[in-house]
C-alpha cells in the first residue's frame, strides 16, 4: 500500500483544561437559533439567489420559526443591498424577527451596511475581522496589535452610527473570524476590547460569535475552547456566546452540540448544511436531534417536503438521499430484517398506551416531519417477506397472514433477483394479483352456487351446505354438486371426488378490504395434500364464501 503524506500535517493544539465540565452536561433546551442561509449559505452558491429567491427563502425561514436571520452582506453587492431594503420597505419582517447584516470591519462597508438597515425595527449589525495567526501572517501581514486595532475601530464606528440612527432596536455581534485558528488568549483579548468599546453589560448584551470558520479539530477540542472562553470572559452576563461551525471535518453538528454543553447560548447555521466549502452547520439536523431527545427544538420542521422544495428551488442545491432526517431514503428500509423489525415496532407503537416513539431503526416518527409511512419499506432483492407484507398492508389493505408470507416472498424474490430492480408497491400488488387472484390455470372457477339444505330431513348442522360448481379444468369442464358442513368443506369434497386430488384446508384467514358498504372480502387459504405438498392461495369477492372458494382454486393452481 502506498502511504499518504501524513507528515505534511500537524496535530491541532489541545486546551489545558483538565477540570472541564462539559462532558457531564446535558442539553435541556433549544439554543437561540440564527439562520445564515441568506448570507453564508448564499455566498457559497454557484448561482447566488436572486432578490425574489431570497424573499422566498426568507419567508420559509420565518415560517419555520427563526427569530434571528442573517439576511445578507449588504455592502457586498447591489442585490444584497436591495434585498435588505425590500424586506424593510415592503414590511416583510415580522415584529418578533430580527434581521442580521454582516460587514467587514472597514469604514465604507460599515457605513453602507447602516444605510441598508435604515427603518428596520430590529437588526443585528454583525462585524467581523480575521484574527488567526495564519491570516495575520499570510494574508494581512499585520501584528496582533494591528489586527486588534481593526476590530476596535470598526466597533467604535458601529457604535457611533447606531447612536446617530437613534434606533434602539439595533444590537451588535462581533466575530473574531477564523477563531479556530486564533490563539485563545488573543481571541479573548480582542473580544474584551470589543466589549469595552460597545459598553457590553447585562442590560446591553453583545453577541460574541466564535466561529469554527474552518473546522480544524475534533468537536471535543472545540468544546474545550468554548468552555475555556466562557470561563475567562470578564463578564459572562454581558455577552451571548454564539457559535458558527463549518463542516470541513464533517462534524459541525457535533461541534455545535458540544459547544452548547460547553456554555454557548446561540447557534448559527443553515438549512441542510448549505454554506462555504463543506457547508455550515446543518440546523435541520441539530434541531431534530433535540426533538428526538424530547426537547422542544423551537423550530418547526413538520412540513419537510415544503422546506426541501423551497430550499432546492432557491439554492439549486440537492439534498443527499441519505441526509439525516430529510433525505429521501432515510425512512426507507430495503433489508428484510430491518423491514421486519420496523413492521413489528410500528404495530407495537400503535398498541402502546403512552405513545412514546420506540420503533427499531427509526429514531424519529417519519410522520413528524411530514413523511408518509408508505416510503418506509421499499422492496428489492435485499428485502424480506415481512417488508413485502407491510407494503401490501399499508398501501392496499391486504394483510397476508404470517404462514403465507414466505410463499409470496418467494414470488417477489424471483422477480427482484431476475431483474435486479426495485419493485414499487403497485408492482408488488400486481404480482400478488397475478400469482393468486388472477391465476386461471389449470382450474378456472366459472360458476359456483351455494345453498343450504334445509328441506333435507337427513340434514343436520354438519351437512347442511350444498355447492354447485362449474370449473374449467385441464381436461375440460368439471361440474359437481356436493354437500359439506360449510362451503369450504363442500367444495373440497366435490373437487376431490371429481379430480382425485387428495387435499384439505389447513390454514384459513379472511378479512374485508375497505370500510364502505361495498367492501370486498379477501380470503387466504393454505391447502395440504396427502403427498405432503402445501400450497397457498387467495381469493377476493363481495361474498365471503365465494372469496374462500376462489382462494382454494387459487391454491390448487399454485400446486406444483
Ligand atoms: O465562517 C465564518 O467565520 C463566518 C464569519 C463571517 C462569521 O462566516
Ligand atoms: Zn461562515
Amino acid at each position: 500500500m502506498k502511504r499518504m503524506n501524513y507528515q505534511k500535517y500537524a496535530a491541532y493544539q489541545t486546551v489545558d483544561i483538565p477540570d472541564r465540565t462539559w462532558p457531564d452536561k446535558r442539553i435541556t433546551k433549544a439554543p437561540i437559533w440564527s439562520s445564515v442561509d441568506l448570507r453564508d449559505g448564499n455566498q457559497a452558491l454557484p448561482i447566488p439567489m436572486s432578490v425574489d429567491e431570497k424573499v422566498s427563502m426568507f419567508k420559509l425561514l420565518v415560517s419555520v420559526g427563526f427569530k434571528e436571520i442573517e439576511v445578507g452582506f449588504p455592502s457586498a453587492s447591489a442585490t444584497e443591498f436591495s434585498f435588505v431594503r425590500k424586506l424593510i420597505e415592503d414590511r416583510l419582517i415580522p415584529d418578533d424577527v430580527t434581521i442580521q447584516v454582516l460587514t467587514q470591519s472597514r469604514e465604507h462597508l460599515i457605513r453602507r451596511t447602516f444605510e441598508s438597515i435604515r427603518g428596520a425595527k430590529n437588526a443585528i449589525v454583525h462585524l467581523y475581522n480575521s484574527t488567526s495567526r495564519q491570516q495575520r501572517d499570510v494574508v494581512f501581514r499585520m501584528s496582533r496589535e494591528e489586527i486588534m486595532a481593526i476590530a476596535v475601530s470598526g466597533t467604535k464606528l458601529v457604535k457611533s452610527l447606531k447612536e446617530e440612527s437613534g434606533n434602539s432596536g439595533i444590537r451588535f455581534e462581533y466575530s473574531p473570524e477564523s477563531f479556530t485558528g486564533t490563539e485563545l488568549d488573543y481571541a479573548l483579548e480582542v473580544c474584551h476590547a470589543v466589549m469595552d468599546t460597545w459598553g457590553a453589560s447585562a442590560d446591553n448584551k453583545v453577541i460574541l460569535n466564535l466561529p469554527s470558520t474552518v473546522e480544524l479539530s475534533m468537536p471535543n477540542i472545540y468544546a474545550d475552547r468554548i468552555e475555556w472562553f466562557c470561563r475567562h470572559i470578564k463578564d459572562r452576563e454581558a455577552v451571548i456566546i454564539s457559535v458558527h461551525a463549518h463542516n470541513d471535518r464533517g462534524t459541525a453538528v457535533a461541534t455545535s452540540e458540544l459547544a452548547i454543553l460547553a456554555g454557548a447560548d446561540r447557534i448559527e447555521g443553515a438549512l441542510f448544511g448549505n454554506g462555504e466549502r463543506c457547508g455550515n452547520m446543518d440546523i435541520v439536523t441539530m434541531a431534530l436531534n433535540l426533538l428526538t431527545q424530547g426537547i422542544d427544538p423551537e423550530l418547526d420542521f413538520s412540513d419537510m417536503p415544503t422546506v426541501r422544495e423551497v430550499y432546492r428551488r432557491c439554492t439549486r442545491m440537492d439534498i443527499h438521499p441519505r441526509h439525516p432526517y430529510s433525505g429521501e431514503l432515510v425512512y426507507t428500509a430495503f433489508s428484510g430484517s430491518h423491514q421486519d423489525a420496523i413492521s413489528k415496532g410500528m404495530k407495537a407503537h400503535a398498541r402502546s398506551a403512552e405513545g412514546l416513539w420506540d420503533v427499531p431503526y427509526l429514531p424519529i416518527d417519519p410522520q413528524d416531519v411530514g413523511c408518509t409511512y408508505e416510503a418506509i419499506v421499499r422492496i428489492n432483492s435485499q428485502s424480506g417477506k415481512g417488508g413485502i407484507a407491510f407494503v401490501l398492508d399499508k398501501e392496499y389493505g391486504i394483510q397476508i397472514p404470517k404462514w403465507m408470507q414466505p410463499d409470496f416472498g418467494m414470488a417477489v424474490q424471483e422477480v427482484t433477483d431476475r431483474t435486479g430492480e426495485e419493485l414499487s408497491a403497485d408492482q408488488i400488488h400486481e404480482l400478488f394479483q397475478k400469482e393468486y387472484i388472477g391465476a386461471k390455470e389449470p382450474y378456472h372457477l366459472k360458476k359456483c352456487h351455494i345453498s343450504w339444505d334445509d328441506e333435507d330431513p337427513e340434514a343436520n348442522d354438519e351437512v347442511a351446505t350444498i355447492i354447485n360448481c362449474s370449473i374449467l379444468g385441464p381436461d375440460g369442464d368439471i361440474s359437481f354438486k356436493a354437500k359439506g358442513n360449510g362451503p369450504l368443506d363442500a367444495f373440497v369434497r366435490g373437487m376431490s371426488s371429481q379430480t382425485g386430488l387428495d387435499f384439505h384446508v389447513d390454514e384459513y384467514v379472511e378479512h374485508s378490504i375497505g370500510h364502505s358498504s361495498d367492501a370486498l372480502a379477501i380470503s387466504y387459504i393454505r391447502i395440504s395434500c396427502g403427498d405432503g405438498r402445501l400450497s397457498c392461495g387467495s381469493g377476493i369477492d363481495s361474498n365471503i364464501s365465494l372469496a374462500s372458494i376462489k382462494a382454494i382454486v387459487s391454491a390448487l393452481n399454485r400446486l406444483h
Side-chain angles (χ1 to χ4, degrees), residues 39-40 244 246 280:
R39 197 278 297 171
D40 221 349
H244 170 117
H246 281 268
N280 280 88

Side-chain angles (χ1 to χ4, degrees), residues 8 18 112 137 153 159 175 193 221 284 335 349 375 452 506 552:
K8 187 170 166 185
R112 181 86 174 135
D137 293 353
S153 65
K159 191 179 177 203
S175 291
I221 299 184
V284 177
S335 116
H349 177 69
W452 283 267
D506 80 347
I552 300 183

Side-chain angles (χ1 to χ4, degrees), residues 362-504:
L362 290 178
I364 187 173
D365 183 346
Q367 282 195 324
D368 287 343
V369 286
C371 296
T372 52
Y373 288 130
E374 285 79 70
I376 295 174
V377 171
R378 285 169 51 177
I379 304 302
N380 65 13
S381 60
Q382 301 295 308
S383 308
K385 52 193 184 328
I388 295 162
F390 181 90
V391 169
L392 276 185
D393 183 5
K394 284 285 166 227
E395 298 258 350
Y396 296 97
I398 294 177
Q399 297 158 11
I400 307 180
K402 248 195 150 25
W403 45 261
M404 186 168 167
Q405 289 175 9
D407 191 69
F408 186 48
M410 265 158 48
V412 172
Q413 188 86 38
E414 192 279 317
V415 177
T416 51
D417 272 341
R418 181 163 38 77
T419 61
E421 291 190 0
E422 180 187 350
L423 281 187
S424 67
D426 283 357
Q427 287 170 314
I428 292 168
H429 184 236
E430 264 169 39
L431 188 63
F432 182 83
Q433 294 280 338
K434 176 172 155 261
E435 289 286 322
Y436 299 104
I437 311 296
K440 296 205 168 28
E441 282 177 0
Y443 300 109
H444 176 198
L445 182 68
K446 293 199 318 196
K447 225 177 76 193
C448 180
H449 182 258
I450 301 164
S451 58
W452 283 267
D453 191 3
D454 293 343
E455 277 130 50
D456 185 345
E458 301 289 300
N460 55 40
D461 280 354
E462 287 184 0
V463 282
T465 309
I466 300 172
I467 202 159
N468 263 293
C469 267
S470 165
I471 292 171
L472 181 62
D475 305 317
D477 281 338
I478 306 165
S479 295
F480 60 83
K481 176 176 180 182
K483 277 187 182 181
N485 61 12
L488 287 188
D489 185 43
F491 183 84
V492 173
R493 286 177 194 229
M495 192 67 179
S496 304
S497 73
Q498 291 299 305
T499 59
L501 286 166
D502 170 18
F503 71 97
H504 68 274

Side-chain angles (χ1 to χ4, degrees), residues 98-362:
T98 300
I99 56 163
Q100 179 171 315
V101 280
L102 182 75
T103 174
Q104 279 178 3
S105 187
R106 290 163 69 187
E107 183 174 346
H108 67 292
L109 303 181
I110 294 172
R111 289 189 183 281
R112 181 86 174 135
T113 304
F114 267 82
E115 276 169 41
S116 78
I117 58 168
R118 204 175 311 122
K121 181 167 182 272
N122 298 303
I124 296 170
V125 175
H126 180 184
L127 181 86
Y128 80 95
N129 68 313
S130 197
T131 51
S132 70
R133 194 260 326 136
Q134 186 187 56
Q135 298 250 1
R136 292 193 314 263
D137 293 353
V138 179
V139 182
F140 300 102
R141 295 170 186 273
M142 282 185 182
S143 66
R144 281 183 172 213
E145 291 68 31
E146 287 168 311
I147 292 288
M148 162 101 84
I150 294 178
V152 172
S153 65
T155 340
K156 278 188 183 147
L157 180 58
V158 163
K159 191 179 177 203
S160 74
L161 290 176
K162 173 182 168 175
E163 280 159 10
E164 246 174 59
S165 77
N167 186 345
S168 59
I170 294 177
R171 292 191 284 138
F172 300 142
E173 171 170 346
Y174 173 72
S175 291
E177 203 236 36
S178 60
F179 167 77
T180 37
T182 305
E183 305 84 335
L184 271 176
D185 60 340
Y186 178 59
L188 185 70
E189 234 180 272
V190 177
C191 288
H192 279 166
V194 166
M195 286 169 72
D196 288 345
T197 320
W198 276 341
S201 70
D203 298 330
N204 177 32
K205 288 184 197 282
V206 300
I207 301 167
L208 291 182
N209 186 46
L210 306 175
S212 177
T213 303
V214 182
E215 188 173 54
L216 298 173
S217 73
M218 283 172 62
N220 62 310
I221 299 184
Y222 185 76
D224 279 351
R225 288 172 66 85
I226 298 299
E227 182 162 346
W228 184 97
F229 201 93
C230 289
R231 283 196 206 180
H232 288 80
I233 192 91
K234 64 177 175 185
D235 185 356
R236 180 66 185 83
E237 288 305 301
V239 294
I240 292 167
I241 297 291
S242 174
V243 296
H244 170 117
H246 281 268
N247 195 37
D248 302 82
R249 295 169 53 97
T251 55
V253 170
T255 292
S256 304
E257 288 175 334
L258 298 197
I260 294 289
L261 297 181
D265 311 297
R266 182 177 184 272
I267 292 289
E268 294 194 350
L271 297 179
F272 309 115
N274 183 36
E276 293 281 10
R277 306 178 309 283
C278 313
N280 280 88
M281 201 287 301
D282 172 15
I283 287 198
V284 177
T285 298
M286 184 165 169
L288 293 174
N289 281 353
L290 293 181
L291 181 93
T292 62
Q293 300 304 302
I295 299 165
D296 179 358
E298 296 175 19
L299 290 177
D300 176 10
F301 290 111
S302 59
D303 185 6
M304 193 66 84
T306 297
V307 179
R308 280 195 305 231
E309 186 279 315
V310 177
Y311 170 82
R312 284 193 175 122
R313 178 160 45 82
C314 296
T315 63
R316 299 166 184 81
M317 298 291 282
D318 256 335
I319 298 165
H320 195 279
R322 302 271 178 225
H323 197 103
Y325 302 112
S326 51
E328 255 136 34
L329 286 181
V330 298
Y331 303 113
T332 301
F334 288 102
S335 116
S337 63
H338 288 211
Q339 292 174 341
D340 190 47
I342 289 172
S343 165
K344 287 177 179 150
M346 299 277 261
K347 283 188 186 133
H349 177 69
R351 287 192 303 267
S352 112
E354 315 123 50
L356 267 186
W357 185 249
D358 188 22
V359 175
Y361 302 109
L362 290 178

